[in-house]
Amino acid sequence: MNNTKKRILFVDDEPKVLEALRRTLRNFRDQWEMVYINHPEEAWQHLLHQPCDAVVTDIKMPGMTGLELIRRIQAHEKTRDLPVVVLTGLQEPGLKVDALRLGAVDLLTKPVEATQLIARLENVLRLKSQLDQLKRQNQHLVEQVTRQGVELKRAQLRIIYRLGRVAEHRDPETGNHVIRVGAISRAIGHTLGLPQDYLEQLALAAPLHDIGKIAIPDRILFKPGPLTPGEWAVMQRHCVFGERMLREPPENMLPWAAWSNLSLAIFTESDPLLDMAATIALTHHEKWDGTGYPLGLAQEEIPLESRIVAVADVFDALLSHRPYKPPCSEEEALQIMQSKSGTHFDPEAYSAFEKALPEIREIRRQLEDGREPELGKTVFTQEDHLG
């Protein structure tokens, strides 16, 4: 495949639909390589043997439905990061929600306008490029570790910092939010009397809490109004996406490790920092009363690090501008937070947050939006917090 072109696979059992898509996109043949297949099983075999950057599929097809195709794509290690757009003439809301829950990143209804189709394809291809870049960064980190053991801690800090900014980079108005969440989480943990090693891991892992948002379409992530049930189902999946990105081992590196006579343990042993980050990514939207998502955990079922990050994240988000709201004043934010202690928040974590407020205010002052934190220099904690 030409490295300068993105390959898109279109799957629909109606030849007329594929021909209409071919005509609509004819002006993009120089920048996109487009494959049109009208048998879903043939399309699946194509995906197993040919790299693609995006799939556009119908839902109702003979032999294999579009839902089954999405399920296979999500389950297979070769295709699980492939963004899928559903293009269907069906109006049943349930089927569309099922497609989103299975992993589709966008929905289009036939007949689709050319400008809308092109804009959505550009968006999913941009998403795929971001995911590919993330994979390359991860692979580069692994290679760096094998060559430069003494540089591990500094390299890890830099990568964690940049990964933590990936999701926020799509929304520059949120600035240093992820870094503040790490610093505020450490301040809360220190007030709780947690061990120093745990606090250092927490400060580095917490900024990755929303890394899964890079897989959420812009039309949902930046929507200024309320989300529909289907859109909300997609938004909630950022927790699962984030855990998957951080927890799953880099299987693609194992053959290379065997060929180069490196120990496979380098790639298969768990990393405590990434394990904590993955746990936070998955469970930071769980609530103390069990009404959160995605697992519906309650009280001590929720990992401690996630209970802490939930307090830090909500407080900083309330004080920050978002596409759907202006920033609250601190007084308003504290009233909201206090009303949710014992329902949304772990009461002990919230109590520690209140005790740490003077330090948290200083953290927000030093890490205000528009100010770039200095890597390798801690500027946001008291001296006794430094490791």
Side-chain angles (χ1 to χ4, degrees):
M1 182 173 67
N2 188 334
N3 290 332
T4 63
K5 282 189 174 184
K6 300 294 185 181
R7 175 179 284 178
I8 308 173
L9 173 63
F10 295 87
V11 188
D12 198 300
D13 63 308
E14 297 184 34
K16 291 182 179 179
V17 172
L18 295 179
E19 182 58 32
L21 289 170
R22 184 181 284 107
R23 289 196 306 270
T24 299
L25 300 171
R26 61 183 179 275
N27 292 335
F28 287 81
R29 287 177 294 185
D30 291 338
Q31 63 187 87
W32 297 342
E33 183 176 344
M34 291 168 280
V35 180
Y36 302 89
I37 298 179
N38 62 355
H39 295 290
E41 184 62 46
E42 181 183 342
W44 172 241
Q45 293 302 317
H46 180 88
L47 288 173
L48 292 179
H49 297 94
Q50 296 291 334
C52 282
D53 295 285
V55 174
V56 179
T57 183
D58 191 13
I59 290 183
K60 190 175 181 181
M61 296 181 289
M64 182 197 306
T65 66
L67 296 181
E68 176 60 26
L69 181 60
I70 296 171
R71 188 179 291 109
R72 291 190 186 186
I73 289 171
Q74 288 291 309
H76 201 286
E77 64 177 297
K78 283 187 176 181
T79 57
R80 63 180 52 165
D81 294 326
L82 193 59
V84 179
V85 176
V86 170
L87 177 60
T88 180
L90 299 176
Q91 298 301 318
E92 295 93 325
L95 281 176
K96 294 182 178 181
V97 171
D98 288 343
L100 292 169
R101 286 176 173 163
L102 284 172
V105 300
D106 213 339
L107 287 168
L108 293 172
T109 302
K110 300 176 185 176
V112 62
E113 294 182 0
T115 54
Q116 186 182 31
L117 175 63
I118 292 165
R120 300 296 178 81
L121 290 176
E122 289 174 339
N123 186 61
V124 296
L125 291 173
R126 184 166 57 249
L127 166 63
K128 182 60 165 54
S129 294
Q130 290 172 337
L131 291 174
D132 289 344
Q133 182 180 6
L134 186 62
K135 284 183 178 180
R136 289 192 295 269
Q137 289 175 332
N138 184 55
Q139 182 172 338
H140 176 68
L141 173 61
V142 173
E143 293 170 352
Q144 282 288 96
V145 167
T146 62
R147 294 193 304 265
Q148 304 176 20
V150 294
E151 294 292 327
L152 173 60
K153 192 170 184 66
R154 186 166 64 180
Q156 185 182 54
L157 174 60
R158 288 175 174 172
I159 293 296
I160 290 295
Y161 169 75
R162 285 168 173 80
L163 289 180
R165 295 295 295 273
V166 166
E168 299 299 332
H169 182 69
R170 295 178 64 199
D171 182 9
E173 292 177 326
T174 58
N176 288 330
H177 169 68
V178 295
I179 308 302
R180 290 195 297 265
V181 168
I184 294 170
S185 295
R186 178 156 66 175
I188 296 171
H190 177 78
T191 305
L192 287 169
L194 299 175
Q196 186 65 35
D197 288 349
Y198 183 94
L199 296 178
E200 291 183 359
Q201 276 197 1
L202 181 61
L204 290 174
L208 299 178
H209 65 284
D210 271 341
I211 188 68
K213 283 185 177 178
I214 67 171
I216 303 302
D218 289 354
R219 66 181 180 83
I220 294 176
L221 193 61
F222 303 138
K223 185 175 180 179
L227 300 180
T228 66
E231 290 169 337
W232 183 236
V234 175
M235 178 63 81
Q236 290 181 336
R237 284 184 61 81
H238 83 270
C239 299
V240 177
F241 290 145
E243 188 210 21
R244 181 183 298 169
M245 293 173 192
L246 296 166
R247 179 106 57 198
E248 292 185 353
E251 292 94 342
N252 59 316
M253 295 299 296
L254 299 184
W256 178 81
W259 172 81
S260 58
N261 295 319
L262 290 175
S263 171
L264 294 181
I266 295 175
F267 305 99
T268 57
E269 289 180 355
S270 63
D271 181 307
L273 175 59
L274 289 182
D275 282 346
M276 178 184 282
T279 296
I280 292 171
L282 179 65
T283 59
H284 69 284
H285 282 296
E286 301 292 346
K287 295 182 180 180
W288 184 252
D289 63 3
T291 62
Y293 65 87
L295 304 177
L297 304 179
Q299 299 187 18
E300 284 81 8
E301 293 176 339
I302 308 169
L304 176 59
E305 52 265 33
S306 297
R307 287 180 260 154
I308 293 171
V309 170
V311 176
D313 182 31
V314 171
F315 178 66
D316 196 75
L318 287 171
L319 296 180
S320 301
H321 183 276
R322 290 291 186 268
Y324 48 85
K325 74 165 189 70
C328 294
S329 68
E330 182 181 288
E331 181 180 2
E332 292 172 324
L334 291 176
Q335 289 176 351
I336 293 170
M337 298 281 290
Q338 188 175 41
S339 71
K340 295 181 180 297
S341 177
T343 54
H344 188 151
F345 306 124
D346 174 354
E348 288 189 27
Y350 179 75
S351 177
F353 158 79
E354 287 191 317
K355 293 176 183 176
L357 264 175
E359 182 181 356
I360 291 170
R361 292 188 181 104
E362 180 63 14
I363 288 169
R364 285 189 47 80
R365 186 189 70 79
Q366 293 193 39
L367 289 172
E368 63 183 351
D369 291 344
R371 176 179 294 185
E372 186 71 13
E374 296 181 50
L375 286 177
K377 182 179 179 182
T378 305
V379 297
F380 45 78
T381 56
Q382 299 173 355
E383 185 176 351
D384 62 350
H385 284 210
L386 303 181

